[in-house]
Amino acid sequence: MTDTEQTLRTPTPTPTPGDSAERPAAPAGPASGPVAEEPDPRMPRLAAMPAFVAYMGQGWGTPDRTAQVVPGAAKAAAEHRARLAAELPGRTIAVASGRASVRSNDTFYDFRPDSDFYWLTGCPVENAVLVMDTRAAKDPRSVLYLPRPAQPGDPGFFADAQYGELWVGAAPGPRDWARALGHGLEVRPLEDLDPALAEGNRDAQVARTLAELRMIKDDWEIAQLRTAVDCTVEGFAAVVREFPTAVAGGGERWLQGTFDRYARTYGNGPGYASIVGSGRHAATLHWVRCDGPVGEEEAVLLDMGVETHSYYTADVTRTFPATGRFSPAQRQVHDLVERAHRAGLAAVRPGQDFADFHTAAMDVIAHGLHDWGLLPVSVDEALSPEGQHHRRWLVCGVGHHLGLDVHDCARSSYEAYQGAPLAPGMVLTVEPGLYFHSHDLAVPPELRGIGVRIEDDVLVTPEGADVLSDALPLDARGLENWMR
């Protein structure tokens, strides 16, 4: 997924849990809706009826409430907490899991835990708070506060649409989570939490420290990312098989839906809004509307990533000819982007500045555009800080950190992100492209409406780099053969 340089230079803070709307409990009546001041006796409020409450508390067995934890997540989270405690000793740190955002009225988007919270706990529970006390350097204490599920005997069992088991299914409680998470993590009910810590608001130092710690992935995290990438490559294959249906009338949305269904089947879902841009839409960097047709002669840009059940996501892009063969103009653009991409990949190795792969790719792009007669200035002037004329067709960055977030570690300081050397354990994307809009009169007609991006996910190793997504070809001929 294309990265926005401004976002990294001046990160926008993620809203705290207190910024989200509370989820109301649905009324325990025949249907949700407005509650009258004088209820109609034909539509009684069940939670207000003592006899019904008593009856509903009886005659229930115990369902399976085993807490589901991704294998290895709890152990990795314990090691992550130790790293944070060593980095910020003498502190009380609260990190909240967050709440699902309102979609419309009383409906909500699916909940996805805050990335820092999950990195520290391995627990995906909504409205939870982790409190770490690092004042005792040799024995830092971590307590996870979880809301109690509403089980038989509690009126919320049938009346609470957020926590009631009749609404959401069997739900593990604090004791169940304590058994599943272990590794010295104490688990207690949310009502035991000091109200002053209930929102889990983090100061800038804690947010920055967590972002910078997350830059270096451990072995467990790397394994999760490998799984995400492997599933994504398989998802690309599933999408390409649907090209004939898309051309016949299904359009971009058929392809987007194909990948999203695959991602939800084999992972948690897509790691970000899948981008499917056919023809002129491929030149729009984040074309997530995906509401256009797929023409037979068009190139189709696919920017997609599977998010695993551990919430680590891939981020891969390839551009394919809709019917299996690039036109001469599409091939011309693709070949230049490929050369820039290979130059960027070659600059990813430990000790290199983060900016090196960006400048390597941009150098190839600028020279190529100059050879085509598109630059109004010399290559040197275009590449200078005062020029950047080649960026008319590549206004985004050409890579970013990748992990629990598609644009991972975005709260880091400039010195630790763009201003730092690459180190083993970092996982990055490299994604140069060229985007010629159909209404751009600065390019010849044959190039208008062509957009090409190539994006790989790359692990920095002690010896160099490992391209995690190398199962997908880079070159135009290789992609044509792969499609067949």
Side-chain angles (χ1 to χ4, degrees), residues 157-457:
F157 172 63
F158 61 87
D160 187 335
Q162 183 174 11
Y163 296 121
E165 285 194 327
L166 278 188
W167 291 85
V168 300
R175 289 183 180 178
D176 303 300
W177 280 109
R179 284 192 293 269
L181 295 171
H183 296 282
L185 181 61
E186 184 180 345
V187 182
R188 299 176 62 180
L190 186 62
E191 61 260 30
D192 292 351
L193 177 62
D194 182 344
L197 297 173
E199 289 300 331
N201 295 332
R202 278 162 283 166
D203 64 24
Q205 182 186 13
V206 173
R208 185 177 64 252
T209 300
L210 280 164
E212 294 173 6
L213 285 173
R214 283 172 45 199
M215 280 187 181
I216 305 298
K217 273 62 178 179
D218 56 38
D219 290 344
W220 181 80
E221 293 180 284
I222 291 169
Q224 299 306 303
L225 285 164
R226 287 188 186 277
T227 298
V229 172
D230 290 346
C231 287
T232 298
V233 172
E234 294 171 3
F236 268 74
V239 171
V240 167
R241 285 193 291 269
E242 295 297 320
F243 271 24
T245 302
V247 170
E252 296 168 343
R253 194 149 289 182
W254 183 266
L255 301 180
Q256 183 191 44
T258 297
F259 184 82
D260 290 2
R261 180 180 66 250
Y262 186 93
R264 284 185 60 82
T265 301
Y266 296 99
N268 188 54
Y272 51 93
S274 300
I275 298 169
V276 179
S278 178
R280 62 186 178 87
H281 291 160
T284 300
L285 294 172
H286 284 176
W287 182 257
V288 297
R289 282 159 42 189
C290 304
D291 59 0
V294 175
E296 288 187 352
E297 305 303 321
E298 293 178 341
V300 183
L301 188 152
L302 304 177
D303 184 338
M304 308 180 299
V306 170
E307 181 181 86
T308 64
H309 293 295
S310 60
Y311 304 104
Y312 288 82
T313 186
D315 181 9
V316 180
T317 307
R318 291 294 188 273
T319 306
F320 298 92
T323 51
R325 187 172 295 278
F326 288 104
S327 71
Q330 292 165 353
R331 177 69 179 268
Q332 175 187 350
V333 177
H334 194 281
D335 286 352
L336 178 53
V337 174
E338 180 201 342
R339 293 198 299 273
H341 185 76
R342 292 186 185 277
L345 289 178
V348 177
R349 55 185 182 273
Q352 293 289 118
D353 289 342
F354 180 88
D356 285 352
F357 72 86
H358 170 96
T359 56
M362 287 297 183
D363 185 79
V364 174
I365 291 291
H367 277 88
L369 293 174
H370 180 267
D371 292 344
W372 295 353
L374 294 185
L375 294 184
V377 296
S378 69
V379 171
D380 288 343
E381 186 175 347
L383 290 171
S384 71
E386 297 78 20
Q388 301 294 298
H389 297 74
H390 58 293
R391 300 289 300 279
R392 178 186 178 103
W393 302 287
L394 181 52
V395 298
C396 58
V398 297
H400 51 82
H401 282 271
L402 182 70
L404 279 167
D405 297 325
V406 65
H407 294 153
D408 210 29
C409 311
R411 291 186 176 187
S412 303
S413 65
Y414 179 86
E415 293 74 19
Y417 200 127
Q418 297 99 328
L422 301 181
M426 290 181 174
V427 178
L428 316 166
T429 70
V430 177
E431 51 174 319
L434 281 170
Y435 310 96
F436 298 117
H437 287 272
S438 58
H439 57 288
D440 187 350
L441 304 183
V443 297
E446 64 270 19
L447 295 182
R448 295 174 194 165
I450 296 177
V452 172
R453 177 159 67 251
I454 303 173
E455 179 179 21
D456 278 307
D457 300 342

